[in-house]
């Protein structure tokens, strides 16, 4: 609790590297004057703008003073002003923020308003005002800079304190009778130390810039004390005679700020790794445009499946290397058919469904093998596993429409519902804006929206989850697709709404008079019986059983399917009182690397030695329709 | 929404009032007699007659509260006092110089947006790739180079060495439009370097955040072109935070432009402030600080309202 916690577990290498560099700079500023003992203020008329010599390695300035010594002393001033100001601001601001956030009431008001007032001035302006009143000096500089940066610390400490305050363990400590001060410093501080540390380095870098700027204006450090800003100021007047004089102080200033900034960035990255520029795994040999085939319509398959996924294999890049998320998956859907793709999270069912219209995250996922054939309404066949962007775009929306799992986040929050549906219609159908608006309205009516005219003008956040899912279904169906992919469309909804949405999809499919096929992706085998004609059960990236819904439910031929069916809670079943909710012990293996046999073997109650040796093939159980990937399907 | 705007505006006005009071009181925060301090130059004690005259001129002989109210009353009439140096009304000088500063900031903002946003979007789309790292490094350097260093180097290279542009100065647009723009170029570019880096970083971070949002996938699934997805469903949603950071940056430039105006001899408001400080011309300093701070608060208010306009969730 008392130690600073880095989320990544250990301090990252960039932090160590940048800290070392900064330490080096500080060491030069601290010990440099003891090693290079030349007086930075000793004047020599004869040495005016003298070139580098043994006694003066970087030459002499307009008064013949030693440039190297002035740079070292300038760095000393710059760093001490910056660190002193940042330290005072950090301590003062954090205390104010902690107290304000923890005690509330008057303290909260005072902290926040004071911060507001200081922040009401553009930073440099406030510094100028104070400098003009008190006269330029190091003390003025440090005090004005610390006041300037205090609000930033106060706000961070305040905000973090508020959020930490409500956490359970703080409340627990209060309940144990720990004193307020003790809680403030022992419990809260480690939690807010991270953001404060980032702010500290940011402040140091700002303070160096402002100090240099004020000195440059002649309102900061007073000559003859050397400062980089002052050196640039004078070098500027002589830049035609001695341009190199401009170089050294500028270089020192920029490099110092750069090192502090990089340290700040690496700290920030450690606390919030999302926006990192490093450490993101990539697939080697990503799909290049030359590998994708042009939209060549292939010869229609004999059976005329709406969708035929053949031997699909999808790989993902992870931090520990490439893993295969989908192995050799083959599924097909005939026109007007509803196929349910069932599996636990991690089974590869969503990856399979995203592959169909090329929506896999391009940077980390790759279709490694197989074909995905889609037969359009006109009988053309496209392979979307190898299609280019243009083809995919043509198929998306108009042939293959998708409804996703999260209705709360799948609509763009900044556009009205109607505009989003109209956008889809205009992208896929040859109609004008007005006509598109009418279609959108009729679609909203069709999906059972109350007051559709008003809904068109509403923003997503004004609708409930169920209503948003209806809007998304309306949008998906607005372009009359031949295949609807419903990727867990009911998972995020209340149970009563789930049933409504399910019924809606079923009835819309029936209304299409057998034209629209549906791929219904779900983890809930219980709802499959209500909607699907056929079922494909996936486990660890493979289809383990597939067949007509009735047969699967009546006679499952894979132990996994059987166990899944046993897990469905049933009301009013015989002996229901004593019946416990059944679960399957164990978890889905996260990676199949190194598992030579059946992926379910670890959790299977009828496992045999041979199950660990080879992957069972998907074999026909009855008449080509019902298949199982189990060596011992006959004994189930 | 109306109530929010009203509340927000009210608190901005209150803040301006507080700032006025602080600026008024600042003179008294300094230990010693303000009149003596204002007249002291280089350690020479001013003659008592001059001190007394100044006290009467500034109304320092009256009670503090009375001084404060007459100061506020003057403010309401738009009277910021008269300059010590040339006895002209301070407000007139400010009104003449303020547009030049705003023009500089405006030009810098446009350049910064034109550079920072496209690069930020590109970096976000190629997160972790070589371009991204290169741009990030460039931004780091840009942010690490103080604006007066950039300005001075610009003058050294483009004016002194290459003789391409004049080293600084100003001509009114009405007199010589081309010359005016030419003189505007270097100072606004100097400001834009760091500004663009700020815009770049914010754009990159926000776009990265938006790229993986569910509605972007929905937009692709609808069959929209990649360009439209980018423009309407990614960049549009990233505008709020970018607009905020641009507004804040513009605000801090109201003070920060002082360095550039000084380097390029651009006769804007903040250059005026430096001269006023050097001359210890208190009415000029006070007036400028007040106007700039009020503008700054107003700009922050505008940023808040703009953010609201960009995000319907906040709007309601």
């Amino acid at each position: 609790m008392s130690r600073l916690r880095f989320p990544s577990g250990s301090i990252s290498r960039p932090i160590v590297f940048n800290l070392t560099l900064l330490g080096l700079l500080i060491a030069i500023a601290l010990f440099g004057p003891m090693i290079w003992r030349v007086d930075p203020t000793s004047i020599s008329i004869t040495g005016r703008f003298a070139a580098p010599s043994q006694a003066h390695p970087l030459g002499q300035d307009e008064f013949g003073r030693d440039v190297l010594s002035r740079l070292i002393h300038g760095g000393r001033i710059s760093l001490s002003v910056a660190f002193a100001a940042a330290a005072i601001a950090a301590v003062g601001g954090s205390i104010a923020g902690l107290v304000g956030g923890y005690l509330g009431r008057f303290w909260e008001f005072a902290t926040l308003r004071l911060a507001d007032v200081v922040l009401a001035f553009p930073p440099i302006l406030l510094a100028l005002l104070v400098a003009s009143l008190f006269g330029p000096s190091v003390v003025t500089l440090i005090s004005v800079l610390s006041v300037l940066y205090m609000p930033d610390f106060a706000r961070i400490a305040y905000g973090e304190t508020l959020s930490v305050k409500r956490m359970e363990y703080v409340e627990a400590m209060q309940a144990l009778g720990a004193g307020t001060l003790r809680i403030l410093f022992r419990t809260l501080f480690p939690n807010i130390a991270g953001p404060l540390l980032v702010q500290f380095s940011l402040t140091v870098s700002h303070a160096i810039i402002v100090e240099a700027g004020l000195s440059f204006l002649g309102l900061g450090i007073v000559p003859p004390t050397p400062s980089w800003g002052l050196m640039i100021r004078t070098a500027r007047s002589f830049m035609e005679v001695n341009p190199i004089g401009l170089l050294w102080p500028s270089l020192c200033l920029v490099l110092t700020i750069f090192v502090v900034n990089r340290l700040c960035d690496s700290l920030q990255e450690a606390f919030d790794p999302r926006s990192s520029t490093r450490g993101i795994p990539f697939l080697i040999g990503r799909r290049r445009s030359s590998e994708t085939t042009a939209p060549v319509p292939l010869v229609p398959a004999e059976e005329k499946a709406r969708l035929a996924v053949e031997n699909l294999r999808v790989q993902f890049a992870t931090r520990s290397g490439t893993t295969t998320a989908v192995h050799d998956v083959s599924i097909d859907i005939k026109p007007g058919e509803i196929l349910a793709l069932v599996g636990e999270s991690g089974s590869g069912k969503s990856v399979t469904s995203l592959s169909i219209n090329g929506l896999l995250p391009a940077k980390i996922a790759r279709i490694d093998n197989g074909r995905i054939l889609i037969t359009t309404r006109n009988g053309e066949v496209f392979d979307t596993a190898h299609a280019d962007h243009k083809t995919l775009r043509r198929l998306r929306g108009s042939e293959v429409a998708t409804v996703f799992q999260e209705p709360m986040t799948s609509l763009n929050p900044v556009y009205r519902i109607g505009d989003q549906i109209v956008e889809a219609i205009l992208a896929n159908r040859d109609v004008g804006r007005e006509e598109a608006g009418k279609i959108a309205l009729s679609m909203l009516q069709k999906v059972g929206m109350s007051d559709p005219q008003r809904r068109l003008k509403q923003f997503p956040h004004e609708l409930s989850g169920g209503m948003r899912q209806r809007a998304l279904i309306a949008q998906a169906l607005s372009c009359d697709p031949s295949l609807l992919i419903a990727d867990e469309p009911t998972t995020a909804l209340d149970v009563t709404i789930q049933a409504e949405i399910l019924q809606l999809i079923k009835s819309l499919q029936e209304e299409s008079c057998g034209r629209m096929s549906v791929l219904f992706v779900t983890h809930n085998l219980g709802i499959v019986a209500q909607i699907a004609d056929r079922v494909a059960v996936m486990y660890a990236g493979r289809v383990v059983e597939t067949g007509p819904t009735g047969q699967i439910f009546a006679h499952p031929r894979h132990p996994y399917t059987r166990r899944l069916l046993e897990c469905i809670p049933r009301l009013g079943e015989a002996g229901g009182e004593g019946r416990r909710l059944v679960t399957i012990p164990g978890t889905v293996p996260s990676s199949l690397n190194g598992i030579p046999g059946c992926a379910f073997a670890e959790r299977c109650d009828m496992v045999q030695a041979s199950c660990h040796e080879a992957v069972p093939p998907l074999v026909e159980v009855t008449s080509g329709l019902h298949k199982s990937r189990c060596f011992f399907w006959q004994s189930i | 929404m109306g109530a929010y705007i009203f509340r927000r505006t009210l608190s901005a006005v209150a803040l301006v009032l507080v700032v006025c009071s602080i600026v008024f009181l600042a003179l008294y925060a300094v230990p010693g007699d303000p009149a003596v301090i204002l007249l002291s130059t280089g350690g020479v004690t001013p003659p008592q007659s001059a001190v007394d005259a100044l006290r009467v001129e500034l109304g320092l002989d009256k009670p503090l509260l009375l001084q404060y109210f007459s100061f506020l009353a003057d403010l309401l009439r738009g009277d910021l006092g008269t300059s010590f140096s040339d006895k002209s009304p301070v407000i007139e000088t400010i009104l003449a110089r303020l547009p030049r500063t705003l023009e500089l900031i405006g030009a810098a903002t446009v350049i910064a947006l034109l550079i920072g946003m496209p690069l930020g979007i590109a970096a976000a789309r190629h997160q972790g790739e070589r371009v991204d790292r290169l741009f990030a490094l460039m931004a780091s350097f840009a942010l690490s180079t103080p604006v007066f260093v950039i300005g001075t180097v610009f003058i050294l290279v483009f004016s002194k060495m290459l003789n391409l542009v004049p080293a600084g100065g100003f001509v009114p647009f009405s007199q010589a439009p081309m010359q005016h723009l030419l003189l505007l170029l270097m100072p606004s570019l100097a400001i834009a370097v760091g500004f663009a880096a700020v815009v770049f970083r914010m754009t990159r971070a926000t776009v990265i955040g938006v790229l993986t949002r569910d509605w972007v996938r929905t937009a692709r699934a609808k069959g929209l072109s990649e360009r439209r997805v980018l423009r309407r469903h990614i960049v549009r949603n990233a505008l709020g935070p970018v607009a905020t950071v641009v507004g804040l940056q513009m605000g801090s430039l109201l003070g920060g432009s002082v360095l550039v105006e000084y380097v390029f001899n651009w006769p804007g408001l903040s250059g005026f402030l430096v001269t006023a400080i050097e001359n210890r011309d208190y009415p000029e300093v006070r007036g400028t600080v007040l106007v700039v701070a009020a503008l700054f608060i107003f700009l922050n208010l505008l940023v808040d309202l703009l953010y609201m306009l960009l995000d319907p969730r906040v709007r309601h």
Side-chain angles (χ1 to χ4, degrees):
Chain A
M1 245 337 91
S2 57
R3 276 190 36 226
L4 181 60
R5 292 166 306 171
F6 279 85
S8 49
S10 62
I11 296 177
S12 75
R13 273 173 56 197
I15 295 181
V16 173
F17 179 74
N18 291 313
L19 259 181
T20 314
L21 282 183
L22 183 63
L24 204 67
L25 287 174
I26 294 174
I28 293 175
L30 276 181
F31 305 115
M34 296 171 199
I35 298 160
W36 188 249
R37 286 160 178 280
V38 179
D39 183 1
T41 53
S42 93
I43 294 171
S44 146
I45 309 294
T46 49
R48 194 176 148 85
F49 296 129
S53 61
Q54 194 116 45
H56 306 287
L58 294 181
Q60 286 155 278
D61 72 358
E62 75 277 8
F63 290 115
R65 298 174 295 198
D66 180 53
V67 171
L68 177 62
S69 169
R70 290 185 69 73
L71 284 176
I72 294 173
H73 281 87
R76 201 175 198 183
I77 285 285
S78 191
L79 287 173
S80 36
V81 167
F83 272 96
I88 296 172
V91 172
S94 313
I95 290 177
L98 276 169
V99 169
Y102 194 81
L103 297 180
R105 293 165 195 276
F106 166 75
W107 297 103
E108 181 174 23
F109 182 82
T111 307
L112 293 182
R113 292 306 145 246
L114 270 176
D116 276 350
V117 168
V118 176
L119 292 174
F121 291 92
I124 293 208
L125 192 75
L126 195 64
L128 284 177
L129 181 67
V130 175
S132 76
L133 289 169
F134 291 87
S137 77
V138 174
V139 178
T140 313
L141 213 51
I142 292 177
S143 26
V144 73
L145 285 176
S146 45
V147 170
L148 216 56
Y149 297 123
M150 236 177 248
D152 296 324
F153 288 101
R155 286 192 165 185
I156 291 174
Y158 170 77
E160 298 279 330
T161 305
L162 275 195
S163 61
V164 170
K165 197 166 100 172
R166 297 194 189 96
M167 284 184 187
E168 278 158 15
Y169 67 87
V170 176
E171 281 173 358
M173 285 195 69
Q174 271 173 320
L176 285 174
T180 306
L181 265 179
R182 194 183 136 79
I183 296 177
L184 270 180
F185 289 100
R186 294 291 297 275
T187 315
L188 286 175
F189 202 72
N191 279 293
I192 62 171
L196 287 180
L197 202 63
V198 172
Q199 185 62 35
F200 185 81
S201 55
L202 202 65
T203 303
V204 168
S205 130
H206 268 236
I208 295 174
I209 295 180
V210 173
E211 179 271 312
L214 289 178
S215 302
F216 176 77
L217 289 174
L219 300 168
I221 304 294
V222 189
T225 311
S227 137
W228 293 335
L230 262 177
M231 289 174 79
I232 297 172
R233 176 184 169 87
T234 44
R236 183 171 164 262
S237 343
F238 299 105
M239 71 175 146
E240 276 160 291
V241 209
N242 186 35
I244 200 85
L246 208 54
L247 178 72
W248 297 119
S250 301
L251 212 59
C252 286
L253 187 58
V254 172
L255 280 180
T256 307
I257 300 168
F258 186 73
V259 168
V260 180
N261 277 347
R262 292 303 274 190
L263 177 64
C264 181
D265 290 347
S266 49
L267 282 172
Q268 217 153 20
E269 226 163 66
F271 289 109
D272 181 18
R274 259 180 320 169
S275 57
S276 168
T277 53
R278 68 184 76 239
I280 296 162
F282 290 117
L283 280 173
I284 306 144
R286 279 168 49 201
R287 192 162 89 179
R288 281 183 295 269
S289 52
S290 58
E291 284 173 40
T292 61
T293 50
V296 184
L298 300 155
V299 186
E302 311 153 32
E303 236 199 281
K304 272 214 115 176
R306 180 62 77 207
L307 167 74
V309 176
E310 297 174 354
N311 308 101
L312 181 70
R313 189 165 69 201
V314 181
Q315 293 193 316
F316 269 79
T318 65
R319 288 194 187 276
S320 48
T322 309
T323 58
T324 308
V326 169
H327 289 264
D328 195 29
V329 162
S330 299
I331 50 172
D332 60 275
I333 309 178
K334 286 185 254 324
E337 193 180 32
I338 300 184
L339 174 76
L341 193 59
V342 187
E344 291 171 77
S345 24
S347 64
K349 58 187 192 306
S350 280
V351 173
T352 305
S353 78
L354 286 173
S355 317
I356 293 169
N357 50 5
L359 288 175
L360 287 173
K363 278 192 179 177
I364 54 167
R366 173 179 62 182
I367 296 179
D368 190 49
N369 187 35
R371 297 198 297 175
I372 301 170
L373 302 180
I374 287 176
T375 311
T376 66
R377 265 178 301 247
N378 311 332
E380 287 175 299
V381 180
F382 294 98
D383 178 5
T384 59
H386 299 97
D388 57 6
H389 276 300
K390 222 172 126 192
T391 313
L392 283 174
R393 211 173 79 212
R394 229 189 80 192
L395 294 173
R396 286 175 192 160
S398 56
E399 294 289 343
V400 185
T402 315
V403 175
F404 293 105
Q405 181 175 3
E406 293 291 339
M408 307 309 277
T409 52
S410 289
L411 285 160
N412 192 328
V414 305
Y415 297 117
R416 294 171 201 281
I417 299 291
D419 292 340
Q420 301 197 41
I421 300 178
V422 164
E423 186 183 36
I425 297 170
L426 291 177
N428 296 301
R429 293 171 70 162
D430 194 17
V431 292
R433 186 162 282 275
E434 202 178 322
E435 178 67 19
K438 281 183 195 153
I439 298 174
L441 181 65
S442 75
M443 285 315 298
L444 286 188
Q445 277 163 340
K446 212 169 164 182
V447 298
M449 284 267 224
S450 56
D451 201 356
Q453 194 77 53
R454 192 164 62 95
R455 301 288 183 205
L456 281 178
K457 298 262 178 286
Q458 282 184 316
F459 286 98
H461 68 271
E462 297 173 277
L463 268 57
S464 69
M467 279 297 154
R468 289 189 212 184
Q469 196 59 292
R470 281 174 199 271
L472 280 160
I473 292 173
Q475 174 174 276
L477 298 187
S478 64
C479 301
D480 198 17
S482 49
L483 172 65
L484 174 71
I485 299 174
D487 189 354
E488 303 235 20
T490 59
T491 307
L493 303 173
D494 288 344
V495 181
T496 46
I497 311 289
Q498 275 188 18
E500 284 178 34
I501 296 289
L502 215 59
Q503 197 49 50
L504 176 67
I505 293 176
K506 179 92 177 148
S507 66
L508 288 169
Q509 193 273 335
E510 279 161 7
E511 268 176 52
S512 78
C513 303
R515 272 179 306 141
M516 187 173 81
S517 313
V518 178
L519 176 64
F520 194 90
V521 181
T522 181
H523 68 274
N524 187 349
L525 195 56
I527 63 175
V528 165
Q530 301 169 41
I531 187 163
D533 301 316
R534 280 194 303 131
V535 182
V537 180
M538 283 188 76
Y539 187 81
R542 292 196 180 94
V543 172
V544 292
E545 184 169 11
T546 174
T549 311
Q551 274 197 39
I552 296 273
F553 274 70
H555 309 287
R557 292 298 190 185
H558 193 280
Y560 178 60
T561 318
R562 197 197 68 216
R563 302 295 298 270
L564 276 182
L565 285 169
E566 284 168 5
C567 291
I568 302 172
R570 289 187 183 85
L571 285 173
E573 197 179 59
E577 248 170 70
R579 192 176 180 266
R580 289 185 165 227
L581 196 60
V582 183
T583 55
I584 308 176
T587 51
V588 187
S590 60
S591 162
L592 285 188
N593 298 350
I595 300 181
C598 174
F600 188 62
E602 288 298 318
R603 302 168 78 187
C604 187
D605 53 3
M606 44 185 290
V607 60
Q608 307 278 326
S610 58
C611 295
H612 292 294
E613 281 154 20
V615 179
L618 196 62
V619 290
E620 291 185 5
V621 175
T622 48
S623 68
L625 283 170
H626 193 168
K627 295 179 186 173
S628 167
R629 199 184 273 281
C630 179
F631 291 125
F632 308 101
W633 62 267
Q634 274 156 320
S635 37
I636 299 165
Chain B
M1 174 164 71
Y4 175 77
I5 295 178
F6 180 73
R7 239 191 11 251
R8 196 59 194 73
T9 313
L10 208 67
S11 77
V13 170
L15 203 54
V16 171
L17 199 70
V18 172
V19 165
C20 289
S21 314
I22 289 177
V23 172
F24 169 78
L25 286 172
L27 191 58
Y28 300 95
V30 188
D33 186 341
V36 177
I37 294 164
L38 290 174
L39 288 174
S40 307
T41 36
V44 182
T45 314
Q48 191 58 39
S49 59
V51 172
D52 288 340
L54 186 67
R55 286 175 67 88
V56 174
E57 188 189 330
L58 291 179
L60 292 176
D61 49 342
K62 300 194 185 84
L64 194 63
L65 211 60
L66 196 68
Q67 287 180 44
Y68 180 59
F69 282 118
S70 76
F71 164 72
L72 286 186
D74 284 348
L75 267 187
L76 278 178
R77 285 199 309 271
D79 181 0
L80 291 176
T82 49
S83 156
F84 283 171
S85 50
D86 58 2
K87 306 291 169 206
S88 65
V90 170
I91 186 79
E92 277 178 21
T93 324
I94 290 177
L95 286 181
R97 282 173 167 257
L98 180 63
R100 300 178 196 150
T101 295
L102 294 182
E103 183 191 5
L104 194 58
I105 296 174
T109 307
V110 171
I111 300 173
L113 283 174
L114 287 179
I115 300 173
M117 281 200 57
L119 293 190
I121 294 167
R125 296 182 72 196
H126 299 279
Q127 187 191 0
E129 291 174 36
R130 208 174 298 159
V131 242
D132 182 27
R133 262 175 266 170
L134 179 73
F135 288 169
L137 194 71
M138 280 163 52
S140 280
F141 263 111
L143 284 174
S144 306
T145 316
V147 71
F148 61 90
V149 174
I150 298 177
T152 311
V153 170
F154 273 9
I155 290 179
L156 180 66
V157 174
F158 297 113
S159 315
K160 307 285 175 191
M161 289 160 114
L162 301 176
N163 242 325
L164 286 175
V165 272
F170 177 83
V171 271
F173 185 77
S174 51
Q175 272 178 29
M178 282 321 288
Q179 184 69 6
H180 174 88
L181 292 178
L182 195 65
L183 286 167
L184 178 66
L185 188 66
M186 277 213 297
S188 47
L189 265 179
I191 299 177
V193 172
F195 197 163
V198 172
V199 173
F200 164 83
R201 286 191 159 197
M202 197 60 187
T203 309
R204 176 182 177 275
T206 338
V207 169
I208 284 175
V210 178
L211 274 176
T212 51
R213 301 305 288 265
D214 289 341
W215 68 75
V216 175
R217 195 174 58 180
T218 309
R220 292 211 174 93
K222 301 208 279 209
L224 303 186
S225 69
E226 200 52 34
R227 248 183 80 187
R228 194 175 168 87
V229 173
L230 187 67
R231 219 183 55 223
R232 296 252 313 171
H233 293 275
I234 295 171
V235 176
R236 168 65 182 78
N237 287 75
L239 282 184
V242 174
T244 305
V245 84
V246 167
L248 293 178
Q249 188 72 17
M250 286 173 81
S252 80
L253 277 177
L254 281 171
S257 64
V258 61
L259 287 157
V260 169
E261 291 185 10
Y262 181 83
V263 169
F264 290 98
N265 230 339
W266 183 267
L269 196 56
S270 17
F272 173 62
L273 182 64
V274 175
T275 327
I277 290 173
E278 278 167 358
N279 299 339
R280 300 189 145 257
D281 195 327
Y282 185 64
E284 285 185 359
V285 174
R286 188 170 74 178
T288 316
V289 169
L290 264 183
V291 168
V292 172
L295 263 178
F296 185 67
I297 293 169
F298 178 68
L299 197 70
N300 283 345
L301 172 67
L302 220 61
V303 168
D304 268 14
L305 298 184
L306 181 68
Y307 192 89
M308 207 169 71
L309 210 68
L310 285 171
D311 193 339
R313 280 167 300 183
V314 190
R315 215 185 294 161
H316 287 268

